[in-house]
Amino acid sequence: MEWRTVVVIVLVVSLCFFMIPIKVEPDKNVEDVKLFANYVDQYNKSYKNDSAEYKERFERFQKSLRHIEKMNSFRTSQESAYYGLTEFSDLSEDEFLQRTLLPDLPLRGQKHTTASYYHRHFTNSVHRVKRVTGIPSKFDWRDRGVVGPVQNQESCGACWAFSTIGVAESMYAIKNGTLYPFSVQEMIDCMPGDYGCQGGDICSLLSWLLISKISIISENAYPLTWRTDACRLSKTSAKTSGAKITDFTCDSFVNAESELLTLLVTHGPVAAAVNAISWQNYLGGVIQYHCDGSFNYLNHAVQIVGYDTSASIPHYIIKNSWGSTFGNKGYIYIAIGKNLCGIANQVSSLDIV
């Protein structure tokens, strides 16, 4: 027997007596299949028995899983935003944009930047938020009982109406001491132009309410249907009953977020246009990264109801309209100071009687 052969045999036998750790990656596809089956059941997806769509949705679901892993890898603390499966996780990013958000919001919003009610605020530094004086380090209008429950816009693209009416309810409660539910559906049906569930914007709605002197009536009198219907207001009742907008602003606080904090404390909750494309799989925590603040990427409308600069990550408290099971009981937290998600691009406050 040649010496080379002897050496090989000895090496092979020797290896049998040693534990050599070999890392075997789990089969992600098998895990993903199980996760998807549970996901379809949990959210009662309609394509459960449609094999073609099931396969297609599974592929998009897998992309969401990989994206969730990537987003969670950026977490720097326990307070950082974390991501996981939501009812939107079987959508492509483009589907999420088209079905849930407002792709044309920048075009709708741009026309307001030259209006008399538009103001651009400036301060020396947006990073001096912690040293803002004259206002508390933490403020939340929910603690004062003037913020209504989180609503769900479902498949109706009327975030512009939900956010505006939510702020109107809060401002009425601050002034009159009673939290009174107003009609979102009235705005969806009666706002002139190509709005309804097909999309709109906060500033146009407030401008129409002010100029027309239209009254905002109660939710009970004009309940939500989640679709665009014919307006059911008569010309006389529209101007005689309910609450009315007496003034509003539609401002930019880019590079002036400390002034936005002051407005929240001294005036009340505000409605804001945001870029929510990265929220598809959001579960909670404070968003700090990967949420573009460009005006051109605005696609959703929300309410800002408070802030906390005493937290390890100073943040806004955002009331959304995707139901109480999304995010943190329907709320989202966005870090202050960098115009994350475009939160400071177009912010509206209002007065009401």
Side-chain angles (χ1 to χ4, degrees):
M1 183 180 294
E2 293 187 8
W3 68 270
R4 291 186 180 85
T5 305
V6 172
V7 169
V8 169
I9 292 172
V10 170
L11 285 172
V12 170
V13 172
S14 299
L15 285 174
C16 294
F17 293 94
F18 293 95
M19 295 294 292
I20 301 176
I22 301 174
K23 187 177 181 181
V24 179
E25 292 292 334
D27 188 339
K28 281 192 176 295
N29 199 60
V30 172
E31 292 180 0
D32 294 352
V33 167
K34 292 178 181 177
L35 282 173
F36 187 59
N38 292 333
Y39 174 83
V40 170
D41 286 338
Q42 179 182 350
Y43 290 100
N44 194 28
K45 295 293 183 175
S46 61
Y47 50 79
K48 185 174 184 177
N49 298 313
D50 184 333
S51 59
E53 186 176 1
Y54 191 94
K55 181 177 182 296
E56 183 180 333
R57 292 292 163 201
F58 173 63
E59 292 172 356
R60 292 172 189 178
F61 176 83
Q62 283 189 300
K63 288 183 179 179
S64 284
L65 288 177
R66 305 292 85 82
H67 184 68
I68 288 166
E69 292 170 359
K70 179 181 177 181
M71 293 295 282
N72 284 333
S73 72
F74 295 116
R75 298 188 73 207
T76 56
S77 72
Q78 289 290 75
E79 290 71 38
S80 297
Y82 55 96
Y83 300 84
L85 297 176
T86 72
E87 63 179 296
F88 308 117
S89 297
D90 59 347
L91 302 178
S92 67
E93 187 174 280
D94 188 60
E95 279 181 308
F96 179 61
L97 177 64
Q98 297 296 329
R99 290 189 186 187
T100 311
L101 306 176
L102 305 174
D104 64 343
L105 191 57
L107 292 176
R108 295 182 187 270
Q110 191 64 47
K111 63 185 177 183
H112 301 290
T113 59
T114 57
S116 60
Y117 47 76
Y118 178 84
H119 312 92
R120 189 180 295 277
H121 298 263
F122 296 96
T123 54
N124 291 331
S125 173
V126 298
H127 300 293
R128 297 194 306 170
V129 170
K130 287 188 177 181
R131 297 196 292 274
V132 173
T133 58
I135 61 172
S137 60
K138 182 179 180 180
F139 194 89
D140 188 343
W141 281 106
R142 293 176 297 178
D143 296 338
R144 288 155 174 79
V146 297
V147 178
V150 171
Q151 292 187 284
N152 193 339
Q153 68 185 67
E154 298 187 3
S155 59
C156 176
C159 55
W160 54 277
F162 282 93
S163 56
T164 305
I165 292 305
V167 171
E169 289 173 352
S170 292
M171 295 307 298
Y172 187 88
I174 291 169
K175 183 170 184 177
N176 298 289
T178 303
L179 184 59
Y180 191 71
F182 292 139
S183 174
V184 173
Q185 192 66 42
E186 177 193 358
M187 306 301 110
I188 293 171
D189 293 348
C190 303
M191 171 73 185
D194 183 21
Y195 292 97
C197 288
Q198 285 66 52
D201 69 273
I202 297 164
C203 302
S204 292
L205 175 56
L206 287 170
S207 180
W208 170 66
L209 287 169
L210 180 65
I211 293 170
S212 67
K213 296 182 171 56
I214 291 290
S215 294
I216 306 172
I217 64 176
S218 74
E219 167 71 16
N220 289 336
Y222 206 131
L224 193 58
T225 66
W226 292 278
R227 63 178 183 269
T228 309
D229 296 320
C231 182
R232 301 197 300 273
L233 289 178
S234 67
K235 290 183 179 180
T236 53
S237 66
K239 296 187 178 182
T240 57
S241 62
K244 292 182 181 178
I245 301 298
T246 59
D247 197 11
F248 77 96
T249 62
C250 190
D251 296 349
S252 169
F253 289 93
V254 176
N255 297 330
E257 290 184 52
S258 60
E259 289 194 30
L260 174 52
L261 301 185
T262 301
L263 176 66
L264 282 167
V265 173
T266 59
H267 191 265
V270 295
V274 292
N275 172 10
I277 194 68
S278 68
W279 300 3
Q280 184 173 356
N281 300 297
Y282 173 86
L283 294 183
V286 182
I287 295 173
Q288 299 170 270
Y289 315 107
H290 309 288
C291 202
D292 196 298
S294 169
F295 189 97
N296 292 330
Y297 291 120
L298 299 178
N299 51 39
H300 189 43
V302 295
Q303 300 166 59
I304 311 177
V305 300
Y307 64 83
D308 187 353
T309 59
S310 66
S312 59
I313 307 172
H315 58 267
Y316 296 104
I317 302 167
I318 308 295
K319 182 185 176 186
N320 198 18
S321 55
W322 295 343
S324 59
T325 60
F326 185 85
N328 189 332
K329 297 180 180 179
Y331 283 81
I332 290 169
Y333 304 107
I334 297 175
I336 295 170
K338 298 180 182 178
N339 190 30
L340 281 164
C341 307
I343 192 68
N345 277 302
Q346 201 160 70
V347 178
S348 294
S349 61
L350 61 90
D351 293 313
I352 196 166
V353 293

